[in-house]
Each structure stands twice: as C-alpha cells, then as structure tokens.
Amino acid sequence: MVKEGVCCSQDVQAVERRVLLETLAGQLPQDVIQFSSKLAMIKSNPDGKTLLELVDGSKLLAKILISCDGIRSPIATWMGFPEANYVGHCAFRRLASYSAGQPYGPRVNYIYGRGVHAGYVHVSPTKIYWFICFNSSSPGPK
C-alpha cells in the first residue's frame, strides 16, 4: 500500500523526442526519412513492405514505419488497436527548461495523493519532464 506523499524513485534515462529522432535519423541516409507527413491510407503488400499514401498524393513503400501520432492514429487503427476509451483520469505534461541548469538527478520521482499523482524526471542538464494526473468524471478539453 502506498501512503500519501512522496513515494517512489526509479533510475531512468529520459530523452527529448527531438533528440531521439535526430539521433535515429543521423544513423540513416538522408533520403529514407520523411518527417511531419500526413497519412491518407496505409496497406500491407504481399512482399512484407507497407504502402503509405500521403495526403499530398505521394506514395512511399516502407520496410519500417515509426509513428508518433497517438492513440487515435490511422496507424493504430490499421494495427488493430481498439478505439481509445476514457478511463477516469486526466493528465497535464510539460517539458520545463532551467537556463542555469536543473537541480534534479536522473531518477523518476513520483508523488501520490488522493485522486492525484504527479512526477518528474531529468531529461538533460537543463530540462525536466513533469506530469500531473488526476481523477476526473469527464475527459475535459482536448
């Protein structure tokens, strides 16, 4: 049982999405990645590759697809993921910058209370990622 207040801390290595994407992209030839594309249609080919048709009409044949478009994405639907259901809590998440350097170590830190939990994690020498989740009978604004 977890009591209210500061609870748990875990070792973790967090990284900004931008840094992760730049690092992955830096290991591949420049012409094989297409960022910020809007997908119109996706289908599997018999050869194991995936055909992607973009909103602008262009078509791509992909061996690997990395998607960061969320739970309501066409890719999630294509993969057979069920429709998202509201489960009774909301969350706010942000990346905070400390120009003089942030004071936290590389650990995930959680804080628990009645109907709420929050946490933060070191991302870089000048940034932390923080979140707060709370019970809510309504999903609130999107």
Side-chain angles (χ1 to χ4, degrees), residues 45-133:
N45 283 353
D47 63 1
K49 294 183 180 176
T50 302
L51 177 64
L52 308 168
E53 186 174 325
L54 305 181
V55 171
D56 68 6
S58 61
K59 294 180 181 180
L60 305 168
L61 201 54
K63 290 181 188 177
I64 297 172
L65 174 63
I66 298 174
S67 170
C68 302
D69 56 349
I71 59 174
R72 291 179 180 85
S73 77
I75 295 167
T77 302
W78 174 74
M79 293 177 69
F81 293 169
E83 183 67 28
N85 293 319
Y86 182 65
V87 294
H89 63 264
C90 293
F92 292 100
R93 299 178 292 261
R94 296 296 287 178
L95 193 62
S97 295
Y98 293 78
S99 57
Q102 54 90 359
Y104 307 105
R107 300 180 71 75
V108 178
N109 297 282
Y110 297 101
I111 302 165
Y112 292 90
R114 283 195 174 98
V116 65
H117 66 275
Y120 58 92
V121 63
H122 166 279
V123 173
S124 76
T126 59
K127 294 181 181 173
I128 63 162
Y129 163 81
W130 64 265
F131 65 90
I132 183 166
C133 298

